[in-house]
Amino acid sequence: MHLPDVPLLSMLKSSMTWLQSRQSVLSQNVSNADTPGYVARDLRPVDFQQLMRQMEAGNRFPRGLAVTDPRHISLAPPGQSEFDSADAPDVTASPNGNSVSLEEEMIKVSETQAQYQAAANLYAKALSLMRTAIGKPGS
């Protein structure tokens, strides 16, 4: 069995990819906090049930680039996330048209970081349990 084919690992990987993409969008918001006219953005939550249905139908990477071998990595084109983003103004725009609230963005960043760490811990624990099951607990 291929590790990416394990449903738990696949779900955790998808979740971690979404969280990583969200962190990138949030960091762009923070870096543009003083840019006149900038509107804060955020990623739309992924419908993981729909994603799992697509994966069960044989489409392992429904949103990324096509892969010709299961060992290839599917990546979105540079500067483009494989997830949907939308304007998500934190506050009413300031007089210069900027809608970024640094406080709100930092809260979102820390929540995203905590969720990513939890998913990474679950992923590591699942791999550890698999190693134990096949008789290689220290590897």
Side-chain angles (χ1 to χ4, degrees):
M1 175 178 260
H2 221 91
L3 280 182
D5 295 334
V6 176
L8 173 65
L9 296 180
S10 180
M11 268 187 358
L12 288 171
K13 180 182 172 203
S14 295
S15 176
M16 290 168 62
T17 302
W18 183 84
L19 290 164
Q20 182 180 6
S21 296
R22 183 176 193 223
Q23 198 77 317
S24 176
V25 170
L26 295 175
S27 69
Q28 290 173 10
N29 289 346
V30 170
S31 66
N32 286 293
D34 292 328
T35 303
Y38 184 82
V39 177
R41 301 188 60 77
D42 201 351
L43 291 186
R44 289 189 180 105
V46 173
D47 182 356
F48 283 104
Q49 287 182 339
Q50 178 184 0
L51 183 65
M52 289 306 293
R53 283 192 296 274
Q54 289 175 340
M55 293 175 76
E56 288 172 359
N59 189 359
R60 285 189 48 204
F61 301 102
R63 293 178 166 222
L65 298 175
V67 293
T68 57
D69 186 291
R71 295 172 294 193
H72 292 168
I73 300 172
S74 175
L75 298 173
Q80 176 184 348
S81 172
E82 60 185 85
F83 302 103
D84 297 329
S85 65
D87 290 347
D90 293 327
V91 294
T92 304
S94 65
N96 70 1
N98 189 300
S99 69
V100 177
S101 164
L102 283 177
E103 294 81 10
E104 289 292 323
E105 291 301 315
M106 296 314 291
I107 289 170
K108 290 177 188 178
V109 165
S110 66
E111 288 172 349
T112 303
Q113 182 180 9
Q115 291 171 359
Y116 186 90
Q117 188 61 47
N121 288 341
L122 286 171
Y123 195 92
K125 188 57 140 177
L127 289 178
S128 174
L129 289 171
M130 286 183 190
R131 280 191 216 107
T132 301
I134 61 173
K136 297 183 180 181
S139 300

